[in-house]
Amino acid sequence: MTTIASQIYHALADEIAKGVMVPGQKLEEKVIAEKFGVSRTPVRDALRELGARGLIEMHPRRGGVVARIDTDQMADMLEAECEIEALCARLAAQRMSALEREQLYELHRQYTDCVGNQDLEGCRDINRKFHDAICRGAHSVTIAAMAVDLRVRLAPFRQHQAGPADVRLQQSLDEHQKIVDAIRANDAAAAFAALYEHNARLSAGVMRRFTAAAGK
């Protein structure tokens, strides 16, 4: 996607995750293009990406419609993400090269700096790179692709977390430390458990908010 299309994609995904755009709502290219002050081409690209991620349903001659994701589907995706990313961590502890481990540690150091500076955008960016590095470090193209696809699809729902930012960031930082320590120590079992527990905690928060929103 172009930069403009990516910006439109993230903006629309954010509105879907927040419930601003409700299931069944139609997304018209012309209306969206006017809203963002762009041509229809980047809007079309953004809608295709939303469709690929399962956030909208594309219908011939009707355009896009916000997908209906029920609580069972959300729980299923979150469970799969926990298991698959934890598997990536286990494999990364066994397969990562010394250079890859140090690169992961460097990302963790950068995340630590962002947490100390309360840099929320920086934390989101480094967090994505941190998880991507673990998935790549599994050295399994198929498993890594599954993990990344689930993470991207769930990202809009994960980014809205409850509680004070400083507390949330510190908790994630502490959990990342356990993941890094386990991978650098070649402790596959500990790496699996640390990443699983990290994602499971975040997933529980996503389900609480999603269930509450679905009940409105």
Side-chain angles (χ1 to χ4, degrees):
M1 286 191 296
T2 64
T3 300
I4 295 174
S6 179
Q7 290 172 345
I8 296 171
Y9 161 77
H10 286 293
L12 294 176
D14 189 52
E15 290 188 4
I16 292 171
K18 288 180 178 178
V20 176
M21 299 180 69
V22 299
Q25 182 173 335
K26 188 174 181 180
L27 292 86
E28 299 181 19
E29 288 182 11
K30 180 181 178 181
V31 174
I32 296 172
E34 291 174 350
K35 176 181 178 180
F36 290 96
V38 298
S39 69
R40 291 195 182 190
T41 299
V43 172
R44 201 169 293 125
D45 291 342
L47 292 179
R48 274 198 291 266
E49 186 67 16
L50 288 169
R53 300 303 175 186
L55 294 175
I56 69 172
E57 298 169 354
M58 298 298 292
H59 301 285
R61 296 180 295 280
R62 287 179 52 200
V65 176
V66 178
R68 299 180 185 277
I69 302 175
D70 61 30
T71 53
D72 288 341
Q73 289 174 302
M74 179 60 69
D76 185 71
M77 286 191 293
L78 289 167
E79 180 183 39
E81 186 193 36
C82 286
E83 293 285 353
I84 293 172
E85 275 212 30
L87 174 58
C88 284
R90 187 179 78 189
L91 293 174
Q94 297 169 329
R95 301 176 177 179
M96 263 188 169
S97 67
L99 176 59
E100 287 174 320
R101 293 171 202 271
E102 289 311 304
Q103 289 172 335
L104 182 66
Y105 178 76
E106 173 59 20
L107 285 171
H108 179 58
R109 189 194 64 74
Q110 292 175 23
Y111 189 78
T112 302
D113 290 342
C114 287
V115 171
N117 295 325
Q118 291 292 289
D119 179 1
L120 296 180
E121 286 303 317
C123 283
R124 290 192 187 100
D125 180 54
I126 299 300
N127 181 68
R128 176 184 58 77
K129 292 177 180 177
F130 178 85
H131 283 268
D132 285 350
I134 292 172
C135 292
R136 287 195 307 273
H139 292 282
S140 171
V141 175
T142 301
I143 294 173
M146 293 169 64
V148 171
D149 184 69
L150 279 167
R151 174 159 287 277
V152 171
R153 186 173 182 183
L154 290 166
F157 301 95
R158 280 201 180 282
Q159 68 183 11
H160 305 293
Q161 300 180 36
D166 58 338
V167 175
R168 290 190 287 103
L169 293 177
Q170 185 60 52
Q171 191 165 10
S172 286
L173 177 62
D174 293 342
E175 291 167 351
H176 281 193
Q177 183 70 62
K178 292 180 181 179
I179 297 166
V180 170
D181 288 346
I183 290 176
R184 295 180 85 201
N186 298 90
D187 191 334
F192 182 98
L195 188 43
Y196 187 93
E197 290 169 7
H198 172 59
N199 277 354
R201 177 183 64 81
L202 296 172
S203 295
V206 171
M207 280 306 300
R208 282 194 298 271
R209 294 188 302 279
F210 189 82
T211 303
K216 289 182 180 179

PDB file of all heavy atoms in Angstrom, residues 69-100:
ATOM      1  N   ILE A  69     -18.080  -9.566  13.724  1.00  0.00           N
ATOM      2  CA  ILE A  69     -17.197 -10.479  14.453  1.00  0.00           C
ATOM      3  C   ILE A  69     -17.821 -10.707  15.824  1.00  0.00           C
ATOM      4  O   ILE A  69     -17.937  -9.767  16.619  1.00  0.00           O
ATOM      5  CB  ILE A  69     -15.784  -9.884  14.610  1.00  0.00           C
ATOM      6  CG1 ILE A  69     -15.188  -9.569  13.231  1.00  0.00           C
ATOM      7  CG2 ILE A  69     -14.877 -10.856  15.362  1.00  0.00           C
ATOM      8  CD1 ILE A  69     -13.840  -8.871  13.301  1.00  0.00           C
ATOM      9  N   ASP A  70     -18.263 -11.934  16.085  1.00  0.00           N
ATOM     10  CA  ASP A  70     -18.909 -12.176  17.376  1.00  0.00           C
ATOM     11  C   ASP A  70     -17.860 -12.558  18.422  1.00  0.00           C
ATOM     12  O   ASP A  70     -16.677 -12.711  18.129  1.00  0.00           O
ATOM     13  CB  ASP A  70     -20.004 -13.250  17.256  1.00  0.00           C
ATOM     14  CG  ASP A  70     -19.476 -14.599  16.787  1.00  0.00           C
ATOM     15  OD1 ASP A  70     -18.304 -14.921  17.081  1.00  0.00           O
ATOM     16  OD2 ASP A  70     -20.243 -15.344  16.134  1.00  0.00           O
ATOM     17  N   THR A  71     -18.310 -12.694  19.651  1.00  0.00           N
ATOM     18  CA  THR A  71     -17.386 -12.952  20.759  1.00  0.00           C
ATOM     19  C   THR A  71     -16.666 -14.292  20.605  1.00  0.00           C
ATOM     20  O   THR A  71     -15.504 -14.425  20.979  1.00  0.00           O
ATOM     21  CB  THR A  71     -18.122 -12.914  22.112  1.00  0.00           C
ATOM     22  OG1 THR A  71     -19.254 -13.794  22.073  1.00  0.00           O
ATOM     23  CG2 THR A  71     -18.598 -11.501  22.424  1.00  0.00           C
ATOM     24  N   ASP A  72     -17.357 -15.294  20.037  1.00  0.00           N
ATOM     25  CA  ASP A  72     -16.721 -16.598  19.842  1.00  0.00           C
ATOM     26  C   ASP A  72     -15.585 -16.502  18.823  1.00  0.00           C
ATOM     27  O   ASP A  72     -14.511 -17.094  19.020  1.00  0.00           O
ATOM     28  CB  ASP A  72     -17.749 -17.631  19.366  1.00  0.00           C
ATOM     29  CG  ASP A  72     -18.710 -18.046  20.469  1.00  0.00           C
ATOM     30  OD1 ASP A  72     -18.375 -17.833  21.658  1.00  0.00           O
ATOM     31  OD2 ASP A  72     -19.782 -18.588  20.146  1.00  0.00           O
ATOM     32  N   GLN A  73     -15.807 -15.750  17.750  1.00  0.00           N
ATOM     33  CA  GLN A  73     -14.767 -15.566  16.741  1.00  0.00           C
ATOM     34  C   GLN A  73     -13.565 -14.822  17.317  1.00  0.00           C
ATOM     35  O   GLN A  73     -12.411 -15.173  17.065  1.00  0.00           O
ATOM     36  CB  GLN A  73     -15.315 -14.799  15.539  1.00  0.00           C
ATOM     37  CG  GLN A  73     -16.293 -15.585  14.681  1.00  0.00           C
ATOM     38  CD  GLN A  73     -16.909 -14.715  13.598  1.00  0.00           C
ATOM     39  OE1 GLN A  73     -17.531 -13.690  13.876  1.00  0.00           O
ATOM     40  NE2 GLN A  73     -16.736 -15.119  12.358  1.00  0.00           N
ATOM     41  N   MET A  74     -13.852 -13.777  18.099  1.00  0.00           N
ATOM     42  CA  MET A  74     -12.772 -12.997  18.706  1.00  0.00           C
ATOM     43  C   MET A  74     -11.969 -13.862  19.666  1.00  0.00           C
ATOM     44  O   MET A  74     -10.727 -13.851  19.650  1.00  0.00           O
ATOM     45  CB  MET A  74     -13.348 -11.778  19.440  1.00  0.00           C
ATOM     46  CG  MET A  74     -12.292 -10.914  20.118  1.00  0.00           C
ATOM     47  SD  MET A  74     -11.055 -10.232  18.977  1.00  0.00           S
ATOM     48  CE  MET A  74     -12.071  -9.073  18.058  1.00  0.00           C
ATOM     49  N   ALA A  75     -12.661 -14.621  20.505  1.00  0.00           N
ATOM     50  CA  ALA A  75     -11.977 -15.499  21.459  1.00  0.00           C
ATOM     51  C   ALA A  75     -11.134 -16.536  20.733  1.00  0.00           C
ATOM     52  O   ALA A  75     -10.009 -16.841  21.150  1.00  0.00           O
ATOM     53  CB  ALA A  75     -13.002 -16.196  22.359  1.00  0.00           C
ATOM     54  N   ASP A  76     -11.647 -17.038  19.623  1.00  0.00           N
ATOM     55  CA  ASP A  76     -10.922 -18.041  18.839  1.00  0.00           C
ATOM     56  C   ASP A  76      -9.631 -17.459  18.261  1.00  0.00           C
ATOM     57  O   ASP A  76      -8.568 -18.089  18.323  1.00  0.00           O
ATOM     58  CB  ASP A  76     -11.821 -18.547  17.712  1.00  0.00           C
ATOM     59  CG  ASP A  76     -11.185 -19.677  16.918  1.00  0.00           C
ATOM     60  OD1 ASP A  76     -11.075 -20.783  17.459  1.00  0.00           O
ATOM     61  OD2 ASP A  76     -10.785 -19.436  15.767  1.00  0.00           O
ATOM     62  N   MET A  77      -9.716 -16.243  17.706  1.00  0.00           N
ATOM     63  CA  MET A  77      -8.531 -15.607  17.136  1.00  0.00           C
ATOM     64  C   MET A  77      -7.493 -15.289  18.203  1.00  0.00           C
ATOM     65  O   MET A  77      -6.292 -15.488  18.003  1.00  0.00           O
ATOM     66  CB  MET A  77      -8.928 -14.325  16.384  1.00  0.00           C
ATOM     67  CG  MET A  77      -9.613 -14.566  15.063  1.00  0.00           C
ATOM     68  SD  MET A  77      -9.767 -13.054  14.069  1.00  0.00           S
ATOM     69  CE  MET A  77     -10.937 -12.094  15.063  1.00  0.00           C
ATOM     70  N   LEU A  78      -7.947 -14.807  19.342  1.00  0.00           N
ATOM     71  CA  LEU A  78      -7.022 -14.464  20.423  1.00  0.00           C
ATOM     72  C   LEU A  78      -6.326 -15.705  20.966  1.00  0.00           C
ATOM     73  O   LEU A  78      -5.122 -15.680  21.252  1.00  0.00           O
ATOM     74  CB  LEU A  78      -7.773 -13.740  21.548  1.00  0.00           C
ATOM     75  CG  LEU A  78      -8.245 -12.318  21.224  1.00  0.00           C
ATOM     76  CD1 LEU A  78      -9.227 -11.834  22.282  1.00  0.00           C
ATOM     77  CD2 LEU A  78      -7.060 -11.359  21.123  1.00  0.00           C
ATOM     78  N   GLU A  79      -7.077 -16.788  21.090  1.00  0.00           N
ATOM     79  CA  GLU A  79      -6.481 -18.034  21.568  1.00  0.00           C
ATOM     80  C   GLU A  79      -5.418 -18.528  20.585  1.00  0.00           C
ATOM     81  O   GLU A  79      -4.324 -18.946  20.984  1.00  0.00           O
ATOM     82  CB  GLU A  79      -7.553 -19.103  21.739  1.00  0.00           C
ATOM     83  CG  GLU A  79      -6.997 -20.442  22.231  1.00  0.00           C
ATOM     84  CD  GLU A  79      -8.065 -21.514  22.330  1.00  0.00           C
ATOM     85  OE1 GLU A  79      -8.951 -21.562  21.449  1.00  0.00           O
ATOM     86  OE2 GLU A  79      -8.009 -22.315  23.266  1.00  0.00           O
ATOM     87  N   ALA A  80      -5.749 -18.459  19.299  1.00  0.00           N
ATOM     88  CA  ALA A  80      -4.802 -18.896  18.270  1.00  0.00           C
ATOM     89  C   ALA A  80      -3.541 -18.047  18.301  1.00  0.00           C
ATOM     90  O   ALA A  80      -2.420 -18.568  18.179  1.00  0.00           O
ATOM     91  CB  ALA A  80      -5.458 -18.822  16.891  1.00  0.00           C
ATOM     92  N   GLU A  81      -3.712 -16.734  18.475  1.00  0.00           N
ATOM     93  CA  GLU A  81      -2.548 -15.853  18.520  1.00  0.00           C
ATOM     94  C   GLU A  81      -1.647 -16.196  19.704  1.00  0.00           C
ATOM     95  O   GLU A  81      -0.411 -16.241  19.570  1.00  0.00           O
ATOM     96  CB  GLU A  81      -2.977 -14.389  18.603  1.00  0.00           C
ATOM     97  CG  GLU A  81      -1.795 -13.432  18.517  1.00  0.00           C
ATOM     98  CD  GLU A  81      -2.149 -12.017  18.899  1.00  0.00           C
ATOM     99  OE1 GLU A  81      -2.980 -11.834  19.823  1.00  0.00           O
ATOM    100  OE2 GLU A  81      -1.573 -11.089  18.311  1.00  0.00           O
ATOM    101  N   CYS A  82      -2.249 -16.434  20.856  1.00  0.00           N
ATOM    102  CA  CYS A  82      -1.458 -16.792  22.047  1.00  0.00           C
ATOM    103  C   CYS A  82      -0.621 -18.037  21.793  1.00  0.00           C
ATOM    104  O   CYS A  82       0.578 -18.073  22.086  1.00  0.00           O
ATOM    105  CB  CYS A  82      -2.382 -17.029  23.244  1.00  0.00           C
ATOM    106  SG  CYS A  82      -3.100 -15.534  23.967  1.00  0.00           S
ATOM    107  N   GLU A  83      -1.245 -19.056  21.236  1.00  0.00           N
ATOM    108  CA  GLU A  83      -0.560 -20.332  21.012  1.00  0.00           C
ATOM    109  C   GLU A  83       0.528 -20.210  19.939  1.00  0.00           C
ATOM    110  O   GLU A  83       1.654 -20.686  20.123  1.00  0.00           O
ATOM    111  CB  GLU A  83      -1.576 -21.402  20.588  1.00  0.00           C
ATOM    112  CG  GLU A  83      -2.577 -21.787  21.662  1.00  0.00           C
ATOM    113  CD  GLU A  83      -1.970 -22.671  22.749  1.00  0.00           C
ATOM    114  OE1 GLU A  83      -0.799 -23.094  22.613  1.00  0.00           O
ATOM    115  OE2 GLU A  83      -2.676 -22.938  23.740  1.00  0.00           O
ATOM    116  N   ILE A  84       0.196 -19.549  18.828  1.00  0.00           N
ATOM    117  CA  ILE A  84       1.134 -19.492  17.707  1.00  0.00           C
ATOM    118  C   ILE A  84       2.332 -18.601  18.018  1.00  0.00           C
ATOM    119  O   ILE A  84       3.478 -18.944  17.710  1.00  0.00           O
ATOM    120  CB  ILE A  84       0.410 -19.026  16.430  1.00  0.00           C
ATOM    121  CG1 ILE A  84      -0.607 -20.092  16.000  1.00  0.00           C
ATOM    122  CG2 ILE A  84       1.414 -18.778  15.293  1.00  0.00           C
ATOM    123  CD1 ILE A  84      -1.513 -19.658  14.875  1.00  0.00           C
ATOM    124  N   GLU A  85       2.106 -17.448  18.656  1.00  0.00           N
ATOM    125  CA  GLU A  85       3.240 -16.586  19.000  1.00  0.00           C
ATOM    126  C   GLU A  85       4.113 -17.227  20.065  1.00  0.00           C
ATOM    127  O   GLU A  85       5.339 -17.077  20.044  1.00  0.00           O
ATOM    128  CB  GLU A  85       2.750 -15.203  19.464  1.00  0.00           C
ATOM    129  CG  GLU A  85       2.498 -14.256  18.314  1.00  0.00           C
ATOM    130  CD  GLU A  85       2.779 -12.814  18.686  1.00  0.00           C
ATOM    131  OE1 GLU A  85       3.647 -12.556  19.545  1.00  0.00           O
ATOM    132  OE2 GLU A  85       2.124 -11.947  18.103  1.00  0.00           O
ATOM    133  N   ALA A  86       3.492 -17.940  20.992  1.00  0.00           N
ATOM    134  CA  ALA A  86       4.280 -18.623  22.011  1.00  0.00           C
ATOM    135  C   ALA A  86       5.136 -19.716  21.367  1.00  0.00           C
ATOM    136  O   ALA A  86       6.290 -19.935  21.762  1.00  0.00           O
ATOM    137  CB  ALA A  86       3.354 -19.231  23.076  1.00  0.00           C
ATOM    138  N   LEU A  87       4.578 -20.387  20.352  1.00  0.00           N
ATOM    139  CA  LEU A  87       5.346 -21.382  19.609  1.00  0.00           C
ATOM    140  C   LEU A  87       6.536 -20.720  18.910  1.00  0.00           C
ATOM    141  O   LEU A  87       7.644 -21.264  18.889  1.00  0.00           O
ATOM    142  CB  LEU A  87       4.448 -22.074  18.581  1.00  0.00           C
ATOM    143  CG  LEU A  87       5.133 -23.049  17.611  1.00  0.00           C
ATOM    144  CD1 LEU A  87       5.859 -24.155  18.378  1.00  0.00           C
ATOM    145  CD2 LEU A  87       4.094 -23.647  16.660  1.00  0.00           C
ATOM    146  N   CYS A  88       6.305 -19.517  18.354  1.00  0.00           N
ATOM    147  CA  CYS A  88       7.404 -18.782  17.727  1.00  0.00           C
ATOM    148  C   CYS A  88       8.508 -18.498  18.750  1.00  0.00           C
ATOM    149  O   CYS A  88       9.701 -18.611  18.433  1.00  0.00           O
ATOM    150  CB  CYS A  88       6.896 -17.460  17.144  1.00  0.00           C
ATOM    151  SG  CYS A  88       5.975 -17.631  15.598  1.00  0.00           S
ATOM    152  N   ALA A  89       8.124 -18.124  19.949  1.00  0.00           N
ATOM    153  CA  ALA A  89       9.114 -17.830  20.987  1.00  0.00           C
ATOM    154  C   ALA A  89       9.904 -19.082  21.350  1.00  0.00           C
ATOM    155  O   ALA A  89      11.126 -19.027  21.542  1.00  0.00           O
ATOM    156  CB  ALA A  89       8.426 -17.269  22.228  1.00  0.00           C
ATOM    157  N   ARG A  90       9.210 -20.217  21.444  1.00  0.00           N
ATOM    158  CA  ARG A  90       9.897 -21.473  21.764  1.00  0.00           C
ATOM    159  C   ARG A  90      10.912 -21.834  20.678  1.00  0.00           C
ATOM    160  O   ARG A  90      12.057 -22.189  20.974  1.00  0.00           O
ATOM    161  CB  ARG A  90       8.887 -22.606  21.908  1.00  0.00           C
ATOM    162  CG  ARG A  90       9.510 -23.914  22.410  1.00  0.00           C
ATOM    163  CD  ARG A  90       8.468 -24.994  22.560  1.00  0.00           C
ATOM    164  NE  ARG A  90       8.120 -25.578  21.268  1.00  0.00           N
ATOM    165  CZ  ARG A  90       7.105 -26.426  21.078  1.00  0.00           C
ATOM    166  NH1 ARG A  90       6.324 -26.738  22.107  1.00  0.00           N
ATOM    167  NH2 ARG A  90       6.860 -26.930  19.892  1.00  0.00           N
ATOM    168  N   LEU A  91      10.499 -21.697  19.433  1.00  0.00           N
ATOM    169  CA  LEU A  91      11.397 -22.001  18.322  1.00  0.00           C
ATOM    170  C   LEU A  91      12.537 -20.985  18.237  1.00  0.00           C
ATOM    171  O   LEU A  91      13.673 -21.345  17.920  1.00  0.00           O
ATOM    172  CB  LEU A  91      10.613 -22.018  17.004  1.00  0.00           C
ATOM    173  CG  LEU A  91       9.590 -23.158  16.845  1.00  0.00           C
ATOM    174  CD1 LEU A  91       8.786 -22.966  15.570  1.00  0.00           C
ATOM    175  CD2 LEU A  91      10.289 -24.510  16.841  1.00  0.00           C
ATOM    176  N   ALA A  92      12.227 -19.727  18.531  1.00  0.00           N
ATOM    177  CA  ALA A  92      13.261 -18.681  18.494  1.00  0.00           C
ATOM    178  C   ALA A  92      14.346 -18.965  19.524  1.00  0.00           C
ATOM    179  O   ALA A  92      15.543 -18.753  19.267  1.00  0.00           O
ATOM    180  CB  ALA A  92      12.639 -17.314  18.748  1.00  0.00           C
ATOM    181  N   ALA A  93      13.944 -19.458  20.695  1.00  0.00           N
ATOM    182  CA  ALA A  93      14.924 -19.789  21.737  1.00  0.00           C
ATOM    183  C   ALA A  93      15.857 -20.907  21.282  1.00  0.00           C
ATOM    184  O   ALA A  93      17.011 -20.979  21.703  1.00  0.00           O
ATOM    185  CB  ALA A  93      14.201 -20.201  23.021  1.00  0.00           C
ATOM    186  N   GLN A  94      15.371 -21.743  20.394  1.00  0.00           N
ATOM    187  CA  GLN A  94      16.163 -22.864  19.897  1.00  0.00           C
ATOM    188  C   GLN A  94      16.964 -22.513  18.641  1.00  0.00           C
ATOM    189  O   GLN A  94      18.029 -23.067  18.411  1.00  0.00           O
ATOM    190  CB  GLN A  94      15.233 -24.045  19.573  1.00  0.00           C
ATOM    191  CG  GLN A  94      14.491 -24.602  20.784  1.00  0.00           C
ATOM    192  CD  GLN A  94      13.398 -25.574  20.382  1.00  0.00           C
ATOM    193  OE1 GLN A  94      12.793 -25.457  19.305  1.00  0.00           O
ATOM    194  NE2 GLN A  94      13.118 -26.542  21.248  1.00  0.00           N
ATOM    195  N   ARG A  95      16.426 -21.586  17.832  1.00  0.00           N
ATOM    196  CA  ARG A  95      16.972 -21.377  16.489  1.00  0.00           C
ATOM    197  C   ARG A  95      17.603 -20.026  16.218  1.00  0.00           C
ATOM    198  O   ARG A  95      18.337 -19.881  15.235  1.00  0.00           O
ATOM    199  CB  ARG A  95      15.853 -21.608  15.459  1.00  0.00           C
ATOM    200  CG  ARG A  95      15.245 -22.995  15.507  1.00  0.00           C
ATOM    201  CD  ARG A  95      14.077 -23.100  14.532  1.00  0.00           C
ATOM    202  NE  ARG A  95      13.515 -24.451  14.494  1.00  0.00           N
ATOM    203  CZ  ARG A  95      12.473 -24.801  13.745  1.00  0.00           C
ATOM    204  NH1 ARG A  95      11.898 -23.891  12.952  1.00  0.00           N
ATOM    205  NH2 ARG A  95      12.019 -26.037  13.767  1.00  0.00           N
ATOM    206  N   MET A  96      17.331 -19.028  17.028  1.00  0.00           N
ATOM    207  CA  MET A  96      17.885 -17.699  16.757  1.00  0.00           C
ATOM    208  C   MET A  96      19.409 -17.715  16.775  1.00  0.00           C
ATOM    209  O   MET A  96      20.019 -18.362  17.631  1.00  0.00           O
ATOM    210  CB  MET A  96      17.392 -16.685  17.802  1.00  0.00           C
ATOM    211  CG  MET A  96      16.204 -15.863  17.388  1.00  0.00           C
ATOM    212  SD  MET A  96      15.874 -14.559  18.624  1.00  0.00           S
ATOM    213  CE  MET A  96      14.669 -13.580  17.724  1.00  0.00           C
ATOM    214  N   SER A  97      19.984 -16.969  15.851  1.00  0.00           N
ATOM    215  CA  SER A  97      21.443 -16.823  15.850  1.00  0.00           C
ATOM    216  C   SER A  97      21.836 -15.861  16.964  1.00  0.00           C
ATOM    217  O   SER A  97      20.988 -15.151  17.523  1.00  0.00           O
ATOM    218  CB  SER A  97      21.919 -16.270  14.510  1.00  0.00           C
ATOM    219  OG  SER A  97      21.464 -14.932  14.331  1.00  0.00           O
ATOM    220  N   ALA A  98      23.122 -15.805  17.270  1.00  0.00           N
ATOM    221  CA  ALA A  98      23.608 -14.875  18.293  1.00  0.00           C
ATOM    222  C   ALA A  98      23.288 -13.436  17.904  1.00  0.00           C
ATOM    223  O   ALA A  98      22.906 -12.617  18.750  1.00  0.00           O
ATOM    224  CB  ALA A  98      25.113 -15.058  18.483  1.00  0.00           C
ATOM    225  N   LEU A  99      23.418 -13.127  16.618  1.00  0.00           N
ATOM    226  CA  LEU A  99      23.121 -11.770  16.143  1.00  0.00           C
ATOM    227  C   LEU A  99      21.650 -11.443  16.321  1.00  0.00           C
ATOM    228  O   LEU A  99      21.302 -10.342  16.780  1.00  0.00           O
ATOM    229  CB  LEU A  99      23.510 -11.643  14.663  1.00  0.00           C
ATOM    230  CG  LEU A  99      23.172 -10.297  14.006  1.00  0.00           C
ATOM    231  CD1 LEU A  99      23.866  -9.145  14.725  1.00  0.00           C
ATOM    232  CD2 LEU A  99      23.552 -10.325  12.522  1.00  0.00           C
ATOM    233  N   GLU A 100      20.775 -12.381  15.998  1.00  0.00           N
ATOM    234  CA  GLU A 100      19.334 -12.153  16.139  1.00  0.00           C
ATOM    235  C   GLU A 100      18.958 -11.936  17.599  1.00  0.00           C
ATOM    236  O   GLU A 100      18.094 -11.104  17.923  1.00  0.00           O
ATOM    237  CB  GLU A 100      18.561 -13.334  15.566  1.00  0.00           C
ATOM    238  CG  GLU A 100      18.589 -13.402  14.045  1.00  0.00           C
ATOM    239  CD  GLU A 100      17.944 -14.663  13.516  1.00  0.00           C
ATOM    240  OE1 GLU A 100      18.147 -15.748  14.129  1.00  0.00           O
ATOM    241  OE2 GLU A 100      17.234 -14.584  12.503  1.00  0.00           O
TER     242      GLU A 100
END
